[in-house]
Structure formats: structure tokens, C-alpha cells
Amino acid sequence: MAPKRTVAVAAVMVLAAAGLAACGGGDGGSGPDGKVTMQFWHNATTGPGAAFWEKTVADFQAAHPNVTIEIQQVQNEDLDGKLQTALNSGSAPDIFLQRGGGKMAAMVEAGQLKDITGEISAETKQAVGDAALGTGEVDGKTYAVPVSIMPGGFWYSKNLFAEAGITTPPTTIDELNTAVTKLKAIGAPIALGGKDAWPAAHWYYFFTLRACSQASLDTAAKQKDFSDPCWTKAGNDLKAFADTDPFNDGFLTTSAQQGAGSSAGLVANYRASMELMGAWNPGVLASLTKDQKPMPDLGFFPFPAVPGGQGDPAAIMGGAGGYSCSAEAPKECVQFLDYLVTKNVQVEQYKAFNSLPITKEAQSAVTEDYLKAVLDAYNKAPYVSQWLDTVYGQNVGNALNLGVVNLLAGKGDVAGIITAVNDAAKKD
């Protein structure tokens, strides 16, 4: 894959799929008999994803008889709070999903992550490559290993598009508006899980990606200053689009990824035509179809061009999904991260989650047209920005997400989003 310049920070990880439940951890380490027990938090609560992690852990333990890995699952929407509580209380799991960006940088600053720069294997470095490994770095040191590529865009039903008379995916916002009008006429709006906030905020992120230049995004990340007019333009563009009523009824109380009534469930069961989401979505959709198999007509297209902006219309938002070791984790934690990027594990992960593997060797196993479309858009992108709530850290990210939801709910305005994030930035 072509190297990418990642906007805003070197530390770029993003969430992979949906899920983690129960809290605990903190008692990993070596005993007097040389045996090691580690706690592992992952976010696949059901289906092939959960089965993948059970098998992966079992296989690793079989190859390392002295190691026991205790798996815990935490629902995606609960992850940030429970993980931060565990980190702050000194009871963090040894191995856990890493969102990256400002959130990972804050963990590094607090001394909560293990510096694995000198411990990851030469094989891992070769398989993953410098550019991808750089997404797990802060100040030149490695704190996470990426395992999958997670750019965002629209996941849609080709059959519903065809039924609505749409022959090619939209490439401009005007074309998207025209498509939505046709799709709503057959009862297939855009799905949005606004109850969880971050899916609604994705819309603002993408409009920002089109409105703001790469330099503006980078400056905002470094200085936590959102005064550039492009941020206001992005909000105005989102409001204009939302005013056309493109989303499913009750989108503000719809969850994102839990059950048939979620936004992903609406798409999976053909009650909505598409959803703006990261590249973990195919696996989520597959878990919510009636037969729990991938949608046979699933397609992908990038966020369309928006006129009047400074951003490159081919720029992509997303990142790489990966894992970190907590500060006191034993060396076996790093060995487990190395194991996650071996070819067989990478291929099995791709099959379980329908997501793109991080290694070139495993990418050759990808057969789905929608994942090839993601890879094509990713490779053509002049730059890749991380999800904005991840880039700016938890305080600013939460304020940003809430401000967008208030805008869509008619309880706030564009100026309120800018004020909220600037106020939150002052508290960091």
C-alpha cells in the first residue's frame, strides 16, 4: 500500500468493530513458576468476531504453554469510560484495543502504556511497514501495533440503489441529495445511529474533511484552535444536508450497532439504503442480517466532493485499528501483538470481521468487491485524517460529538459547536 501522510498526529488508531462488556484486569504478570496470566479486552461480543478472538487466544496459548490470557468483552460504547477508569485506578488490562490519536497520547503522557519500540519483532516491522507502524507512535516511540485498515465512507445496498434507479454511486454532494430523494421514495433513507453520538458526529467530520485543508486540520490538532472559517462552513454544509431530512425516522434515538433496530441493523435488513461508517462496518452488518452472513449486495463509496471547500475531495478519514500493552504488562503481551500480524491470523481476522488486514501479504486474500473499493479509495487518497474525536482527545472529542447531536436535534447551532470545542480545549 502507498504510504500516507496522516493528518494531525502520528498516533493514529481507530476502533475496529462493535462490542466489549465487563470490567477488570490488572492482575497480569509472571508468577514464581514462570507462568504468565494476562487480561485482554477486545470489542467483538458476538458472532464470527468473538469466535475469532477465542481461537486466536487459544492458538497463542497452545504455542506458549506458560501463558494464560483471560478474555473480557466490553461493549463499544462503554469502552472509553471503563478503560480510562481501569487505567487511572491501576487495574488496566494488559492488552486492549487502542483508539489512538489524542487519547493514546494522553495515556502515554500519564505513563499508562508500555513502550514497545525495542520489543516488537523484526518480522512484525517488515510485515506491517514503517508507515503503518508509525500510526502507533508518539514522539518517535511505538505504543501500539496496528492490525487492520479502517477508513470510512458509505456502505450501501446495491439492490436498493438499483430499485431506486441509481446506476452509479454519488461522487458529489448534489448527486448524493438526488440519490437520497430517490431512495426515500422507496422507503430506504440513510441510516444514522444518533443515540450513540459519534455516528452522528461522523457527518460533521467528513464535511470538515472537505471544507478544511490538510494544513488547517493539522493546525487545529496541534493548537486546539477551531477558529478557521472552514469549521463553520462544515457545520453549515451539514445543517443544509440535514435539513433535507435524509435520515431514518427517529435517528436521534437509534443506536448504532446493537440489534436489528440499530442503524447497522436497518441497512443489514434493507430498511435503510446506506450508512456512513468506518471499515469495521461489513462485519457488524453481517452479524445483523437474518442469516448472520455478509450482505450479498454490499457496496462502498467514499464521501462525495463538496463545493467551496479547501480540502482535497479524494482525502479519506479513518486510520488503522490496533492494540496496546499497559505499562506494567509482561513481555508476552508484545509477543501476542506480534502474533496478531502473522499472515494466518491476519487472514482469519479479515474473514471474521470483513475488514482489511494491515499487512500486504494478507491483503492478497481479500476477494470482496466492497473491500477492494475501500482499498482503492485509500490508495488514491492524497492524505488520511484520523477520526476527529480521536485526534483531539476525550474532552474536545466529547464536546464535538455532543455539539453535532444538538445541531441535528435542533437544540443548538453551528456557532455552538465551535464554542463548545474551544471551551473544552481550554480545559485540556
Side-chain angles (χ1 to χ4, degrees):
M1 294 182 58
K4 291 285 178 289
R5 288 190 63 195
T6 305
V7 172
V9 290
V12 179
M13 296 282 163
V14 77
L15 176 66
L20 266 148
C23 198
D27 44 7
S30 301
D33 55 0
K35 293 188 178 298
V36 175
T37 299
M38 295 188 293
Q39 301 289 321
F40 172 36
W41 286 13
H42 70 70
N43 72 331
T45 57
T46 61
F52 162 78
W53 284 120
E54 292 286 347
K55 182 179 185 301
T56 298
V57 166
D59 290 347
F60 182 82
Q61 290 177 154
H64 301 78
N66 66 311
V67 176
T68 298
I69 298 177
E70 298 177 350
I71 297 175
Q72 296 195 46
Q73 300 171 328
V74 180
Q75 178 60 37
N76 173 46
E77 283 68 32
D78 297 332
L79 176 60
D80 280 5
K82 289 187 174 182
L83 180 59
Q84 195 60 58
T85 297
L87 287 166
N88 292 344
S89 65
S91 61
D94 301 279
I95 314 161
F96 57 88
L97 184 69
Q98 178 55 255
R99 294 189 189 273
K103 294 178 180 179
M104 183 166 80
M107 294 176 191
V108 172
E109 185 176 356
Q112 295 168 333
L113 298 185
K114 187 180 187 70
D115 177 0
I116 61 175
T117 308
E119 296 187 45
I120 53 177
S121 69
E123 290 78 10
T124 291
K125 294 176 181 178
Q126 181 176 6
V128 177
D130 291 343
L133 275 177
T135 66
E137 292 182 358
V138 174
D139 295 332
K141 295 182 179 180
T142 302
Y143 294 93
V145 172
V147 298
S148 58
I149 299 169
M150 295 290 166
F154 285 95
W155 304 92
Y156 74 102
S157 162
K158 293 180 179 179
N159 290 349
L160 288 178
F161 269 49
E163 183 181 341
I166 303 167
T167 56
T168 57
T171 59
T172 68
I173 197 67
D174 287 341
E175 290 178 1
L176 180 62
N177 277 316
T178 299
V180 171
T181 299
K182 294 179 179 180
L183 289 160
K184 286 171 59 182
I186 64 168
I190 297 176
L192 176 57
K195 179 181 178 181
D196 293 322
W198 56 268
H202 278 183
W203 282 87
Y204 181 66
Y205 304 167
F206 275 94
F207 275 113
T208 300
L209 186 67
R210 297 292 178 256
C212 297
S213 67
Q214 183 180 9
S216 294
L217 291 173
D218 195 35
T219 297
K222 292 177 180 177
Q223 300 180 5
K224 300 291 180 68
D225 181 356
F226 304 91
S227 59
D228 190 303
C230 68
W231 293 89
T232 298
K233 172 178 166 45
N236 289 334
D237 288 341
L238 170 57
K239 187 176 187 308
F241 181 77
D243 284 347
T244 67
D245 194 25
F247 305 122
N248 55 285
D249 290 340
F251 71 88
L252 288 170
T253 57
T254 300
S255 63
Q257 302 177 351
Q258 303 172 49
S262 66
S263 58
L266 296 179
V267 176
N269 293 285
Y270 299 95
R271 293 162 58 195
S273 56
M274 60 180 133
E275 180 179 31
L276 180 63
M277 191 58 66
W280 58 84
N281 213 34
V284 178
L285 294 170
S287 72
L288 295 172
T289 59
K290 292 180 180 179
D291 59 3
Q292 293 195 332
K293 294 181 180 180
M295 292 174 62
D297 65 326
L298 184 62
F300 172 87
F301 64 92
F303 196 85
V306 180
Q310 302 170 13
D312 193 300
I316 285 285
M317 183 165 289
Y323 289 83
S324 286
C325 298
S326 57
E328 302 303 320
K331 65 180 186 301
E332 286 80 4
C333 178
V334 186
Q335 294 172 6
F336 183 70
L337 300 189
D338 284 333
Y339 180 63
L340 296 183
V341 294
T342 57
K343 182 181 179 181
N344 288 344
V345 176
Q346 282 273 287
V347 171
E348 290 304 313
Q349 179 174 304
Y350 143 66
K351 291 179 179 178
F353 290 102
N354 296 118
S355 62
L356 287 167
I358 196 73
T359 66
K360 294 179 181 178
E361 189 177 28
Q363 286 170 10
S364 63
V366 173
T367 59
E368 293 85 353
D369 287 342
Y370 53 83
L371 290 181
K372 291 181 178 179
V374 174
L375 202 56
D376 181 63
Y378 186 86
N379 285 335
K380 289 179 178 178
Y383 52 90
V384 178
S385 169
Q386 172 61 307
W387 306 104
L388 299 187
D389 56 344
T390 301
V391 169
Y392 301 131
Q394 191 160 340
N395 287 338
V396 174
N398 288 345
L400 177 60
N401 292 355
L402 181 60
V404 174
V405 170
N406 285 339
L407 175 70
L408 294 178
K411 297 179 180 179
D413 55 19
V414 176
I417 297 176
I418 309 303
T419 299
V421 294
N422 278 326
D423 287 347
K426 294 175 183 176
K427 298 176 183 178
D428 282 352

PDB file of all heavy atoms in Angstrom, residues 288-311:
ATOM      1  N   LEU A 288     -25.792  -8.831  11.756  1.00  0.00           N
ATOM      2  CA  LEU A 288     -27.165  -8.384  11.971  1.00  0.00           C
ATOM      3  C   LEU A 288     -28.120  -8.769  10.846  1.00  0.00           C
ATOM      4  O   LEU A 288     -29.307  -8.445  10.901  1.00  0.00           O
ATOM      5  CB  LEU A 288     -27.186  -6.862  12.164  1.00  0.00           C
ATOM      6  CG  LEU A 288     -26.469  -6.354  13.418  1.00  0.00           C
ATOM      7  CD1 LEU A 288     -26.384  -4.835  13.414  1.00  0.00           C
ATOM      8  CD2 LEU A 288     -27.169  -6.837  14.677  1.00  0.00           C
ATOM      9  N   THR A 289     -27.627  -9.448   9.796  1.00  0.00           N
ATOM     10  CA  THR A 289     -28.523  -9.957   8.765  1.00  0.00           C
ATOM     11  C   THR A 289     -29.318 -11.138   9.321  1.00  0.00           C
ATOM     12  O   THR A 289     -28.953 -11.725  10.348  1.00  0.00           O
ATOM     13  CB  THR A 289     -27.746 -10.408   7.517  1.00  0.00           C
ATOM     14  OG1 THR A 289     -26.825 -11.440   7.892  1.00  0.00           O
ATOM     15  CG2 THR A 289     -26.976  -9.248   6.894  1.00  0.00           C
ATOM     16  N   LYS A 290     -30.388 -11.493   8.648  1.00  0.00           N
ATOM     17  CA  LYS A 290     -31.246 -12.565   9.149  1.00  0.00           C
ATOM     18  C   LYS A 290     -30.509 -13.894   9.259  1.00  0.00           C
ATOM     19  O   LYS A 290     -30.773 -14.684  10.167  1.00  0.00           O
ATOM     20  CB  LYS A 290     -32.477 -12.701   8.244  1.00  0.00           C
ATOM     21  CG  LYS A 290     -33.422 -11.509   8.336  1.00  0.00           C
ATOM     22  CD  LYS A 290     -34.621 -11.666   7.433  1.00  0.00           C
ATOM     23  CE  LYS A 290     -35.556 -10.463   7.553  1.00  0.00           C
ATOM     24  NZ  LYS A 290     -36.738 -10.571   6.662  1.00  0.00           N
ATOM     25  N   ASP A 291     -29.589 -14.157   8.320  1.00  0.00           N
ATOM     26  CA  ASP A 291     -28.835 -15.419   8.356  1.00  0.00           C
ATOM     27  C   ASP A 291     -27.441 -15.237   8.943  1.00  0.00           C
ATOM     28  O   ASP A 291     -26.634 -16.165   8.936  1.00  0.00           O
ATOM     29  CB  ASP A 291     -28.744 -16.038   6.963  1.00  0.00           C
ATOM     30  CG  ASP A 291     -28.076 -15.115   5.940  1.00  0.00           C
ATOM     31  OD1 ASP A 291     -27.632 -14.004   6.330  1.00  0.00           O
ATOM     32  OD2 ASP A 291     -28.007 -15.492   4.763  1.00  0.00           O
ATOM     33  N   GLN A 292     -27.155 -14.028   9.446  1.00  0.00           N
ATOM     34  CA  GLN A 292     -25.846 -13.699  10.029  1.00  0.00           C
ATOM     35  C   GLN A 292     -24.700 -13.985   9.053  1.00  0.00           C
ATOM     36  O   GLN A 292     -23.633 -14.431   9.448  1.00  0.00           O
ATOM     37  CB  GLN A 292     -25.633 -14.433  11.351  1.00  0.00           C
ATOM     38  CG  GLN A 292     -26.584 -13.962  12.451  1.00  0.00           C
ATOM     39  CD  GLN A 292     -26.159 -14.402  13.829  1.00  0.00           C
ATOM     40  OE1 GLN A 292     -25.510 -15.429  13.999  1.00  0.00           O
ATOM     41  NE2 GLN A 292     -26.511 -13.624  14.840  1.00  0.00           N
ATOM     42  N   LYS A 293     -24.952 -13.658   7.794  1.00  0.00           N
ATOM     43  CA  LYS A 293     -23.925 -13.765   6.758  1.00  0.00           C
ATOM     44  C   LYS A 293     -23.778 -12.408   6.085  1.00  0.00           C
ATOM     45  O   LYS A 293     -24.685 -11.574   6.150  1.00  0.00           O
ATOM     46  CB  LYS A 293     -24.312 -14.833   5.728  1.00  0.00           C
ATOM     47  CG  LYS A 293     -24.339 -16.253   6.284  1.00  0.00           C
ATOM     48  CD  LYS A 293     -24.700 -17.253   5.205  1.00  0.00           C
ATOM     49  CE  LYS A 293     -24.723 -18.676   5.758  1.00  0.00           C
ATOM     50  NZ  LYS A 293     -25.081 -19.672   4.710  1.00  0.00           N
ATOM     51  N   PRO A 294     -22.635 -12.156   5.435  1.00  0.00           N
ATOM     52  CA  PRO A 294     -22.432 -10.853   4.796  1.00  0.00           C
ATOM     53  C   PRO A 294     -23.527 -10.528   3.786  1.00  0.00           C
ATOM     54  O   PRO A 294     -24.062 -11.418   3.114  1.00  0.00           O
ATOM     55  CB  PRO A 294     -21.073 -11.016   4.100  1.00  0.00           C
ATOM     56  CG  PRO A 294     -20.368 -12.060   4.895  1.00  0.00           C
ATOM     57  CD  PRO A 294     -21.430 -13.018   5.336  1.00  0.00           C
ATOM     58  N   MET A 295     -23.884  -9.254   3.710  1.00  0.00           N
ATOM     59  CA  MET A 295     -24.854  -8.814   2.713  1.00  0.00           C
ATOM     60  C   MET A 295     -24.322  -9.121   1.310  1.00  0.00           C
ATOM     61  O   MET A 295     -23.216  -8.673   0.962  1.00  0.00           O
ATOM     62  CB  MET A 295     -25.101  -7.312   2.847  1.00  0.00           C
ATOM     63  CG  MET A 295     -25.812  -6.900   4.116  1.00  0.00           C
ATOM     64  SD  MET A 295     -25.921  -5.087   4.271  1.00  0.00           S
ATOM     65  CE  MET A 295     -26.915  -4.669   2.814  1.00  0.00           C
ATOM     66  N   PRO A 296     -25.058  -9.837   0.476  1.00  0.00           N
ATOM     67  CA  PRO A 296     -24.547 -10.213  -0.851  1.00  0.00           C
ATOM     68  C   PRO A 296     -24.433  -9.043  -1.814  1.00  0.00           C
ATOM     69  O   PRO A 296     -23.704  -9.124  -2.805  1.00  0.00           O
ATOM     70  CB  PRO A 296     -25.570 -11.243  -1.345  1.00  0.00           C
ATOM     71  CG  PRO A 296     -26.824 -10.911  -0.602  1.00  0.00           C
ATOM     72  CD  PRO A 296     -26.386 -10.429   0.743  1.00  0.00           C
ATOM     73  N   ASP A 297     -25.148  -7.951  -1.526  1.00  0.00           N
ATOM     74  CA  ASP A 297     -25.149  -6.803  -2.449  1.00  0.00           C
ATOM     75  C   ASP A 297     -24.468  -5.581  -1.842  1.00  0.00           C
ATOM     76  O   ASP A 297     -24.685  -4.456  -2.286  1.00  0.00           O
ATOM     77  CB  ASP A 297     -26.576  -6.452  -2.845  1.00  0.00           C
ATOM     78  CG  ASP A 297     -27.403  -5.958  -1.656  1.00  0.00           C
ATOM     79  OD1 ASP A 297     -27.184  -6.455  -0.533  1.00  0.00           O
ATOM     80  OD2 ASP A 297     -28.271  -5.072  -1.850  1.00  0.00           O
ATOM     81  N   LEU A 298     -23.629  -5.795  -0.832  1.00  0.00           N
ATOM     82  CA  LEU A 298     -22.992  -4.667  -0.150  1.00  0.00           C
ATOM     83  C   LEU A 298     -22.001  -3.957  -1.069  1.00  0.00           C
ATOM     84  O   LEU A 298     -21.218  -4.593  -1.784  1.00  0.00           O
ATOM     85  CB  LEU A 298     -22.259  -5.152   1.098  1.00  0.00           C
ATOM     86  CG  LEU A 298     -21.623  -4.079   1.990  1.00  0.00           C
ATOM     87  CD1 LEU A 298     -22.676  -3.139   2.559  1.00  0.00           C
ATOM     88  CD2 LEU A 298     -20.810  -4.726   3.108  1.00  0.00           C
ATOM     89  N   GLY A 299     -22.045  -2.630  -1.036  1.00  0.00           N
ATOM     90  CA  GLY A 299     -21.102  -1.820  -1.801  1.00  0.00           C
ATOM     91  C   GLY A 299     -20.527  -0.717  -0.940  1.00  0.00           C
ATOM     92  O   GLY A 299     -20.986  -0.455   0.179  1.00  0.00           O
ATOM     93  N   PHE A 300     -19.507  -0.044  -1.463  1.00  0.00           N
ATOM     94  CA  PHE A 300     -18.837   1.041  -0.745  1.00  0.00           C
ATOM     95  C   PHE A 300     -18.545   2.176  -1.710  1.00  0.00           C
ATOM     96  O   PHE A 300     -18.171   1.951  -2.858  1.00  0.00           O
ATOM     97  CB  PHE A 300     -17.524   0.558  -0.136  1.00  0.00           C
ATOM     98  CG  PHE A 300     -16.678   1.661   0.463  1.00  0.00           C
ATOM     99  CD1 PHE A 300     -16.866   2.073   1.770  1.00  0.00           C
ATOM    100  CD2 PHE A 300     -15.700   2.301  -0.299  1.00  0.00           C
ATOM    101  CE1 PHE A 300     -16.105   3.096   2.317  1.00  0.00           C
ATOM    102  CE2 PHE A 300     -14.928   3.327   0.235  1.00  0.00           C
ATOM    103  CZ  PHE A 300     -15.135   3.724   1.549  1.00  0.00           C
ATOM    104  N   PHE A 301     -18.720   3.429  -1.219  1.00  0.00           N
ATOM    105  CA  PHE A 301     -18.217   4.577  -1.972  1.00  0.00           C
ATOM    106  C   PHE A 301     -17.749   5.650  -0.990  1.00  0.00           C
ATOM    107  O   PHE A 301     -18.281   5.765   0.117  1.00  0.00           O
ATOM    108  CB  PHE A 301     -19.257   5.123  -2.957  1.00  0.00           C
ATOM    109  CG  PHE A 301     -20.505   5.693  -2.351  1.00  0.00           C
ATOM    110  CD1 PHE A 301     -20.623   7.052  -2.038  1.00  0.00           C
ATOM    111  CD2 PHE A 301     -21.611   4.881  -2.113  1.00  0.00           C
ATOM    112  CE1 PHE A 301     -21.779   7.580  -1.497  1.00  0.00           C
ATOM    113  CE2 PHE A 301     -22.789   5.398  -1.575  1.00  0.00           C
ATOM    114  CZ  PHE A 301     -22.874   6.749  -1.268  1.00  0.00           C
ATOM    115  N   PRO A 302     -16.734   6.432  -1.374  1.00  0.00           N
ATOM    116  CA  PRO A 302     -16.188   7.462  -0.474  1.00  0.00           C
ATOM    117  C   PRO A 302     -17.161   8.623  -0.290  1.00  0.00           C
ATOM    118  O   PRO A 302     -18.104   8.802  -1.079  1.00  0.00           O
ATOM    119  CB  PRO A 302     -14.909   7.926  -1.202  1.00  0.00           C
ATOM    120  CG  PRO A 302     -14.643   6.888  -2.240  1.00  0.00           C
ATOM    121  CD  PRO A 302     -15.954   6.312  -2.611  1.00  0.00           C
ATOM    122  N   PHE A 303     -16.916   9.420   0.744  1.00  0.00           N
ATOM    123  CA  PHE A 303     -17.727  10.626   0.953  1.00  0.00           C
ATOM    124  C   PHE A 303     -17.552  11.533  -0.259  1.00  0.00           C
ATOM    125  O   PHE A 303     -16.443  11.751  -0.742  1.00  0.00           O
ATOM    126  CB  PHE A 303     -17.286  11.348   2.218  1.00  0.00           C
ATOM    127  CG  PHE A 303     -18.286  12.351   2.717  1.00  0.00           C
ATOM    128  CD1 PHE A 303     -19.334  11.955   3.533  1.00  0.00           C
ATOM    129  CD2 PHE A 303     -18.187  13.688   2.367  1.00  0.00           C
ATOM    130  CE1 PHE A 303     -20.265  12.874   4.005  1.00  0.00           C
ATOM    131  CE2 PHE A 303     -19.114  14.617   2.825  1.00  0.00           C
ATOM    132  CZ  PHE A 303     -20.165  14.210   3.647  1.00  0.00           C
ATOM    133  N   PRO A 304     -18.646  12.077  -0.777  1.00  0.00           N
ATOM    134  CA  PRO A 304     -18.569  12.842  -2.036  1.00  0.00           C
ATOM    135  C   PRO A 304     -17.895  14.205  -1.879  1.00  0.00           C
ATOM    136  O   PRO A 304     -17.692  14.700  -0.771  1.00  0.00           O
ATOM    137  CB  PRO A 304     -20.040  12.995  -2.431  1.00  0.00           C
ATOM    138  CG  PRO A 304     -20.787  12.916  -1.142  1.00  0.00           C
ATOM    139  CD  PRO A 304     -20.031  11.942  -0.295  1.00  0.00           C
ATOM    140  N   ALA A 305     -17.579  14.801  -3.013  1.00  0.00           N
ATOM    141  CA  ALA A 305     -16.998  16.141  -3.050  1.00  0.00           C
ATOM    142  C   ALA A 305     -18.058  17.164  -2.656  1.00  0.00           C
ATOM    143  O   ALA A 305     -19.244  17.009  -2.961  1.00  0.00           O
ATOM    144  CB  ALA A 305     -16.467  16.445  -4.445  1.00  0.00           C
ATOM    145  N   VAL A 306     -17.615  18.222  -1.958  1.00  0.00           N
ATOM    146  CA  VAL A 306     -18.499  19.305  -1.526  1.00  0.00           C
ATOM    147  C   VAL A 306     -17.919  20.611  -2.069  1.00  0.00           C
ATOM    148  O   VAL A 306     -16.742  20.909  -1.831  1.00  0.00           O
ATOM    149  CB  VAL A 306     -18.612  19.366   0.013  1.00  0.00           C
ATOM    150  CG1 VAL A 306     -19.539  20.492   0.446  1.00  0.00           C
ATOM    151  CG2 VAL A 306     -19.088  18.025   0.563  1.00  0.00           C
ATOM    152  N   PRO A 307     -18.698  21.418  -2.786  1.00  0.00           N
ATOM    153  CA  PRO A 307     -18.145  22.634  -3.400  1.00  0.00           C
ATOM    154  C   PRO A 307     -17.739  23.683  -2.376  1.00  0.00           C
ATOM    155  O   PRO A 307     -18.294  23.751  -1.270  1.00  0.00           O
ATOM    156  CB  PRO A 307     -19.303  23.137  -4.271  1.00  0.00           C
ATOM    157  CG  PRO A 307     -20.541  22.576  -3.636  1.00  0.00           C
ATOM    158  CD  PRO A 307     -20.129  21.245  -3.089  1.00  0.00           C
ATOM    159  N   GLY A 308     -16.748  24.483  -2.749  1.00  0.00           N
ATOM    160  CA  GLY A 308     -16.360  25.630  -1.939  1.00  0.00           C
ATOM    161  C   GLY A 308     -15.402  25.352  -0.812  1.00  0.00           C
ATOM    162  O   GLY A 308     -15.053  26.258  -0.056  1.00  0.00           O
ATOM    163  N   GLY A 309     -14.940  24.100  -0.691  1.00  0.00           N
ATOM    164  CA  GLY A 309     -14.050  23.751   0.409  1.00  0.00           C
ATOM    165  C   GLY A 309     -12.585  23.791   0.027  1.00  0.00           C
ATOM    166  O   GLY A 309     -12.235  23.865  -1.149  1.00  0.00           O
ATOM    167  N   GLN A 310     -11.735  23.740   1.051  1.00  0.00           N
ATOM    168  CA  GLN A 310     -10.286  23.746   0.839  1.00  0.00           C
ATOM    169  C   GLN A 310      -9.680  22.343   0.884  1.00  0.00           C
ATOM    170  O   GLN A 310      -8.516  22.153   0.565  1.00  0.00           O
ATOM    171  CB  GLN A 310      -9.626  24.608   1.916  1.00  0.00           C
ATOM    172  CG  GLN A 310     -10.124  26.039   1.965  1.00  0.00           C
ATOM    173  CD  GLN A 310      -9.631  26.779   3.206  1.00  0.00           C
ATOM    174  OE1 GLN A 310      -8.739  26.311   3.907  1.00  0.00           O
ATOM    175  NE2 GLN A 310     -10.223  27.934   3.483  1.00  0.00           N
ATOM    176  N   GLY A 311     -10.460  21.364   1.317  1.00  0.00           N
ATOM    177  CA  GLY A 311      -9.952  20.006   1.419  1.00  0.00           C
ATOM    178  C   GLY A 311      -9.933  19.304   0.082  1.00  0.00           C
ATOM    179  O   GLY A 311     -10.735  19.600  -0.809  1.00  0.00           O
TER     180      GLY A 311
END
